[in-house]
């Protein structure tokens, strides 16, 4: 283990209130000076280089199941793809492709386009990005994915919003209790929905003999908790980068579907809603001279890895045509996000649709500020003018 190093005086710790709003100066320093860093404040190892983060996300010595220790909360998340290691992870993941795999997303293409068109049809004048665009977008996309009837969408959105606190590993006791209660309500809601026999991908998932009923409902619940809030916040994060750059909006308008999907990856690289992933080592791991002991708490800081100049040319710039783009916003290895095809497809439809429908789209008032939270990475109030 190398000698302990601390951030220089005057550089905000990335988990402090000031650092949460702008963690990148600290990430840049760590990546350049101490990429395998033992943080004495959090008592965790922070990996900030792309090479090390990608390795940790793929190496079975970094356990996702044990990574739940990173939660300040005293409750465990239910067993799911997110909180298990192989072989249990693989057993749960394979049936999930019926819901979120590429073939399932292709089946949804027309429904996703209808969701975006309906949302854009209802916009005019001014809007607050998350309330008026991001949250309705996330609700519509997941409602179609889950084959919910329109009359259930309002109740579903309320449950998804309240259950999303379970994303935050640092949620306080009151928020954690509310999150547990909301998760219970969401599971009962989904159980009743499946019992009504909606058919399609839900029927295929429910009939999969590899899963118990609670495990099947866990896959559905994870799709909601892991998808609703990040989808909602992705919209504001993307517009934060796009609106000051008319040339980027013009490229989205004129570049076609392929460029729009490439743009989604680039925007997620720059502002990943989930900025890090927790693991615990099951054996000693060496990265060069740095030795991480067994039983160590580790954060793969993908937000830092995604701006690694050793991997990305002009890492702090928006390059909509960037290809290849080996960002880690969707993770890597066996835990690579199963919902990535859905995010790319739906995000491309929405962002291109906004650019086409509203060529004069722009920020309204003061520039938005980043919220002082860790998970998800998101903006505070963000008002825009559409015409």
């Amino acid at each position: 283990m190398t000698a302990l190093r601390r951030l220089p005086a005057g550089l905000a710790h990335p988990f402090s209130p000031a650092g949460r709003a702008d963690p990148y100066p600290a990430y840049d320093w760590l990546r350049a000076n101490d990429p395998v860093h033992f943080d004495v404040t959090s008592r965790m190892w922070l990996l900030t280089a792309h090479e090390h983060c990608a390795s940790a996300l793929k190496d079975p010595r970094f356990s996702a199941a044990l990574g739940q220790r990173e939660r300040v909360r005293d409750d465990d998340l239910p067993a799911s793809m997110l909180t298990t290691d192989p072989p249990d992870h693989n057993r749960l993941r394979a049936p999930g492709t019926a819901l979120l795999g590429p073939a399932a997303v292709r089946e949804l293409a027309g429904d996703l386009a209808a969701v975006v068109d309906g949302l854009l049809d209802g916009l005019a004048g001014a809007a607050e990005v998350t309330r008026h665009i991001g949250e309705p977008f996330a609700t519509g996309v997941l409602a179609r994915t889950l084959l919910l009837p329109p009359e259930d969408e309002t109740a579903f959105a309320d449950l998804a919003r309240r259950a999303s606190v379970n994303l935050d590993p640092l949620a306080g006791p009151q928020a954690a209790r509310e999150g547990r209660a909301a998760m219970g309500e969401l599971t009962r809601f989904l159980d009743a929905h499946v019992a009504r026999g909606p058919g399609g991908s839900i029927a295929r998932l429910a009939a999969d003999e590899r899963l118990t009923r609670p495990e099947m409902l866990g896959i559905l619940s994870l799709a909601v908790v892991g998808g609703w809030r990040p989808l909602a916040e992705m919209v504001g994060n993307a517009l934060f980068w796009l609106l000051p750059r008319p040339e980027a909006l013009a490229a989205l308008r004129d570049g076609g579907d392929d460029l729009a999907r490439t743009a989604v990856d680039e925007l997620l690289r720059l502002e990943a809603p989930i900025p890090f992933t927790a693991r615990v080592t099951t054996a000693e791991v060496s990265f060069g001279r740095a030795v991480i002991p067994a039983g160590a708490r580790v954060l793969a800081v993908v937000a830092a890895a995604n701006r690694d100049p050793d991997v990305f040319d002009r890492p702090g710039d928006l390059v909509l045509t960037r290809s290849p783009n080996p960002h880690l916003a969707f993770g890597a290895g066996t835990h690579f996000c199963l919902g990535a095809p859905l995010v790319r497809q739906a995000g491309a439809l929405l962002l291109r649709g906004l650019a086409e429908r509203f060529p004069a789209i722009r920020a309204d008032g003061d520039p938005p500020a980043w919220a002082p939270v860790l998970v998800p990475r998101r903006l505070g109030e963000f008002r825009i003018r559409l015409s």
Side-chain angles (χ1 to χ4, degrees):
M1 178 174 171
T2 55
L4 293 180
R5 303 187 69 175
R6 293 178 181 268
L7 289 166
L11 192 61
H13 191 285
F15 300 163
S16 69
R20 293 179 187 193
D22 184 12
Y24 297 107
Y27 290 161
D28 290 346
W29 187 91
L30 287 169
R31 192 177 54 242
N33 296 280
D34 198 18
V36 183
H37 172 77
F38 182 74
D39 179 47
V40 296
T41 301
S42 63
R43 310 296 297 174
M44 291 186 285
W45 290 81
L46 306 184
L47 307 180
T48 50
H50 188 281
E51 174 190 5
H52 301 145
C53 286
S55 178
L57 293 172
K58 297 173 184 177
D59 189 329
R61 293 175 295 175
F62 290 84
S63 169
L66 295 178
Q68 284 195 74
R69 283 185 205 169
E70 301 314 313
R71 296 159 62 82
V72 169
R73 304 157 53 150
D74 59 4
D75 61 315
D76 285 339
L77 290 172
S80 70
M81 288 178 279
L82 189 67
T83 61
T84 52
D85 298 319
D88 283 343
H89 170 83
N90 300 338
R91 181 179 62 82
L92 295 171
R93 182 183 180 89
T97 59
L99 183 71
L100 294 170
V105 173
R106 284 194 294 272
E107 287 183 11
L108 285 171
D111 289 334
L112 296 176
V115 165
V116 170
D117 285 343
L119 174 58
L120 298 178
D121 287 345
L123 295 175
E128 199 287 314
V129 170
T130 301
R131 289 196 305 275
H132 300 145
I133 303 176
E135 291 184 355
F137 169 67
T139 298
V141 167
L142 287 173
R144 297 287 72 74
T145 303
L146 299 172
L147 306 180
L148 293 175
E151 60 268 22
D152 284 354
E153 288 191 19
T154 299
F156 170 72
D158 176 66
L159 285 170
R161 183 180 296 105
R162 291 191 287 120
S164 291
V165 72
N166 291 288
L167 278 175
D168 187 353
L170 302 180
Q174 180 62 31
R177 284 192 294 271
E178 293 172 356
R180 282 196 299 271
M183 183 62 79
E185 291 180 58
L186 175 63
T187 301
R188 291 189 291 274
F189 174 92
L190 293 170
D191 196 13
H193 171 58
V194 173
R196 290 194 291 268
S201 59
I202 303 299
R204 293 193 293 272
L205 185 65
D208 197 307
E209 295 181 351
R210 291 170 290 184
L211 300 173
T212 65
R213 183 80 172 189
E215 287 170 342
M216 180 272 296
L217 293 172
I219 290 172
L220 296 178
S221 298
L222 177 61
V224 177
V225 174
W228 189 84
R229 178 56 66 190
L231 269 173
E233 303 299 351
M234 180 190 77
V235 181
N237 294 5
L239 291 180
F240 174 86
W241 281 88
L242 289 169
L243 295 192
R245 297 169 175 82
E247 72 285 357
L249 287 167
L252 270 178
R253 280 195 298 273
D254 303 331
D257 294 339
D258 288 343
L259 183 133
R261 282 189 287 271
T262 301
V264 169
D265 275 294
E266 176 68 350
L267 290 159
L268 287 170
R269 180 188 72 83
L270 286 165
E271 298 294 352
I274 308 300
F276 50 73
T277 298
R279 295 288 189 266
V280 170
T281 52
T282 59
E284 183 178 279
V285 180
S286 297
F287 289 123
R289 292 183 300 167
V291 179
I292 303 178
R297 306 156 71 208
V298 179
L299 287 186
V301 186
V302 300
N306 285 345
R307 300 191 185 196
D308 189 334
D310 288 341
V311 176
F312 302 99
D313 182 46
R314 298 163 54 199
D317 292 346
L318 175 65
V319 182
L320 291 185
T321 57
R322 190 183 297 274
S323 181
N325 190 344
H327 70 82
L328 300 175
F330 290 125
T334 60
H335 284 271
F336 184 83
C337 178
L338 194 58
L342 181 67
V343 174
R344 287 179 172 129
Q345 177 75 5
L349 286 168
L350 179 67
L351 295 177
R352 187 181 179 197
L354 283 167
E356 288 178 341
R357 293 273 198 108
F358 306 106
I361 188 172
R362 62 198 183 279
D364 187 12
D366 294 333
W370 292 99
V373 297
L374 285 175
V375 182
R377 171 78 168 159
R378 63 181 178 85
L379 292 163
E381 181 87 356
F382 186 4
R383 301 203 64 83
I384 60 173
R385 300 290 309 179
L386 296 160
S387 60

